[in-house]
Amino acid sequence: MTMLSAVPVLAQASSYSASRSNSVKLIWRKSMGKHTYYTFSGARYSHHLGYRWNYMKRNPNTTWTTDMHEKVQVKSTGKYRIYYHVVSGNGKHGGWIWRGYLKSGHNPYSTASENAAKKYIALKESGNSYTAVNGLYYGKYQLTKSYLGGDLSAANQEYVANMYVASRYGTWVKAKTFWQGHGYF
């Protein structure tokens, strides 16, 4: 039984790639137990990878649950890859993602205390504005444009801020504590 139809997802015509879909061969697809994962990398796809639903960095606070897995063979190399079918906690998003991108457990940024700390910093840094400018610093978390890699989108700002906090402080709660003592993070 496939859960794909239970997850409402709208695909845009531009997200379909026949060459990507034809580049793999399905070896098997099976049900699997429910396991929780999170990730900030990769993308979610339809089965056989035809449609790319979205990049995972667009759901930075999401914990995903598995229900199926599949093994595909990359035709050009003969190598095999395992993809997990994941569904978001609220059931609004789903798709197939290569298991190498997934990290086991609940998303550390999805707890109430982490979300509150993140909101606190965004309010202090920019008044919660994705377009705030202060000298060299830009956006909701006042990061440099070069640090944002030229992509000023809200999704990229969230992604880069999460990566910055994870590498420098470990958690948003620790970043908030630092901010309270220093006036920046």
Side-chain angles (χ1 to χ4, degrees), residues 92-108:
K92 291 184 179 180
H93 305 284
W96 295 89
I97 183 167
W98 176 54
R99 71 177 176 184
Y101 287 127
L102 297 168
K103 297 175 183 166
S104 184
H106 289 276
N107 188 320

Side-chain angles (χ1 to χ4, degrees), residues 8 19 47 71 78 90 106 109 112 115 142 153 157 164 171 184:
S19 63
H47 64 288
K71 182 177 184 177
N90 64 9
H106 289 276
Y109 301 122
N115 287 333
Q142 292 296 284
S153 68
Q157 288 183 44
Y164 172 77
T171 68
Y184 68 93

Side-chain angles (χ1 to χ4, degrees), residues 5 11 14 20 26 28-29 35 46 56 59 65 71 77 81-82 87 97 105 119 125 140 147 149 151 168 179-180:
S5 61
S14 63
R20 182 175 53 233
L26 178 67
W28 53 257
R29 181 179 297 138
H35 304 279
S46 64
M56 300 305 277
N59 301 96
T65 303
K71 182 177 184 177
T77 65
R81 296 187 99 183
I82 303 292
V87 179
I97 183 167
K119 286 178 184 178
E125 288 290 326
K140 190 172 181 177
Y147 203 74
D151 181 353
R168 183 161 180 184
W179 198 101
Q180 290 171 323

Side-chain angles (χ1 to χ4, degrees), residues 11 68 70 73 81 97 102 107 134 138 143 164 170:
M68 299 184 74
E70 68 182 12
Q73 182 179 30
R81 296 187 99 183
I97 183 167
L102 297 168
N107 188 320
N134 182 7
Y138 184 85
L143 301 168
Y164 172 77

Side-chain angles (χ1 to χ4, degrees), residues 49-109:
L49 312 180
Y51 283 96
R52 181 180 57 239
W53 299 133
N54 217 330
Y55 290 102
M56 300 305 277
K57 73 179 185 178
R58 299 207 180 263
N59 301 96
N61 300 324
T62 304
T63 297
W64 302 92
T65 303
T66 59
D67 59 3
M68 299 184 74
H69 60 302
E70 68 182 12
K71 182 177 184 177
V72 297
Q73 182 179 30
V74 179
K75 292 177 181 177
S76 64
T77 65
K79 295 185 179 185
Y80 298 95
R81 296 187 99 183
I82 303 292
Y83 283 78
Y84 287 172
H85 184 260
V86 296
V87 179
S88 63
N90 64 9
K92 291 184 179 180
H93 305 284
W96 295 89
I97 183 167
W98 176 54
R99 71 177 176 184
Y101 287 127
L102 297 168
K103 297 175 183 166
S104 184
H106 289 276
N107 188 320
Y109 301 122

